[in-house]
Amino acid sequence: MQSNAYGASLAGGAFDVGSFVKKPQTVLRFLSWVFSIVVFASITAEGYINPETQGNAECMFNKNDSACSYAVGIGILAFLGCFIFLLLDAYFPNISNAKERKYIVIGDLAFSAAWTFLWFICFCVLANQWSKTTMTHVVADAARAVIAFSFFSIVTWALLSYFALGRYRQGVSEFNQEYTDPAQDHTSPYPPPQSSYQQGPFTSTQGQQGEYQPPTY
């Protein structure tokens, strides 16, 4: 298989920490990782308000517990996804099987595109619920931080989708360039198979059936 398929360096090479840290995908994953922490940590710590007249804590986004639960769930899964794909990016150059690389790139593309959409929904829901919030005991800075970093997550995950799509297209184009039709490969030591029927060597010397030819003395 190709050792440089899907934008990876040669398999078995030494791991370069400096080059890995400077990659755009690594920077974006780290930012997405931090943004997800801000979102679910802010809601977990300050997102639920317990009014003096009520015993149960309520979500600071218009008392909509579904909005808080959705943001926390998306943030935690994004946190885990960033960590897993960071490990896969670090191990990716050591994978020599192009098919395994293809599956990783497709998984990265699908996950990044899905979380771009989910973060967009999260931002719209939180912004809408915050505009309807009338609670007075709300930590406004925490709510605004959650909304802002939800928007920032849309940008980072969209860029991750773009880079994953670029790696996938690069891998497909490299595979097509390296594949050569055996009939068109002039460097092969074996001749290409003949597809047309060739006439036998004695056909031209034989006369037509039924025609008499006198012997020669």
Side-chain angles (χ1 to χ4, degrees):
M1 290 293 181
Q2 309 95 307
S3 60
N4 59 342
Y6 296 95
S9 58
L10 295 176
F15 178 71
D16 189 354
V17 179
S19 300
F20 176 73
V21 173
K22 295 178 182 178
K23 287 184 177 180
Q25 293 93 329
T26 305
V27 176
L28 290 172
R29 291 196 201 284
F30 180 76
L31 291 176
S32 300
W33 185 68
V34 173
F35 295 164
S36 64
I37 294 176
V38 173
V39 171
F40 75 79
S42 298
I43 295 178
T44 302
E46 300 177 343
Y48 290 92
I49 307 301
N50 188 8
E52 298 178 357
T53 58
Q54 298 181 3
N56 297 328
E58 297 177 339
C59 178
M60 63 180 174
F61 291 98
N62 196 28
K63 302 180 181 181
N64 190 340
D65 293 338
S66 298
C68 287
S69 299
Y70 178 82
V72 171
I74 293 300
I76 293 176
L77 292 177
F79 171 83
L80 296 176
C82 289
F83 180 74
I84 293 174
F85 280 106
L86 275 173
L87 295 179
L88 289 176
D89 287 343
Y91 184 70
F92 195 81
N94 295 323
I95 302 176
S96 59
N97 193 323
K99 184 176 293 186
E100 293 179 359
R101 292 182 176 186
K102 178 181 178 181
Y103 291 152
I104 294 175
V105 173
I106 292 177
D108 183 15
L109 176 60
F111 189 88
S112 300
W115 251 250
T116 301
F117 178 72
L118 293 176
W119 276 120
F120 175 76
I121 295 177
C122 183
F123 169 76
C124 293
V125 170
L126 294 180
N128 178 263
Q129 293 300 314
W130 177 246
S131 65
K132 300 177 181 179
T133 300
T134 57
M135 300 173 64
T136 57
H137 298 82
V138 175
V139 182
D141 292 339
R144 296 191 182 99
V146 170
I147 296 174
F149 282 97
S150 297
F151 177 78
F152 296 154
S153 296
I154 299 173
V155 179
T156 55
W157 283 100
L159 291 175
L160 285 172
S161 302
Y162 172 78
F163 283 111
L165 180 61
R167 283 207 300 178
Y168 177 76
R169 288 179 174 176
Q170 182 181 1
V172 172
S173 62
E174 287 176 353
F175 177 81
N176 292 334
Q177 290 177 1
E178 292 186 8
Y179 174 76
T180 305
D181 189 354
Q184 304 296 331
D185 188 5
H186 302 289
T187 62
S188 176
Y190 304 101
Q194 299 293 335
S195 59
S196 59
Y197 173 75
Q198 293 182 348
Q199 193 174 15
F202 302 103
T203 304
S204 59
T205 60
Q206 296 177 354
Q208 298 181 356
Q209 294 182 359
E211 181 179 352
Y212 173 75
Q213 294 181 0
T216 303
Y217 299 97

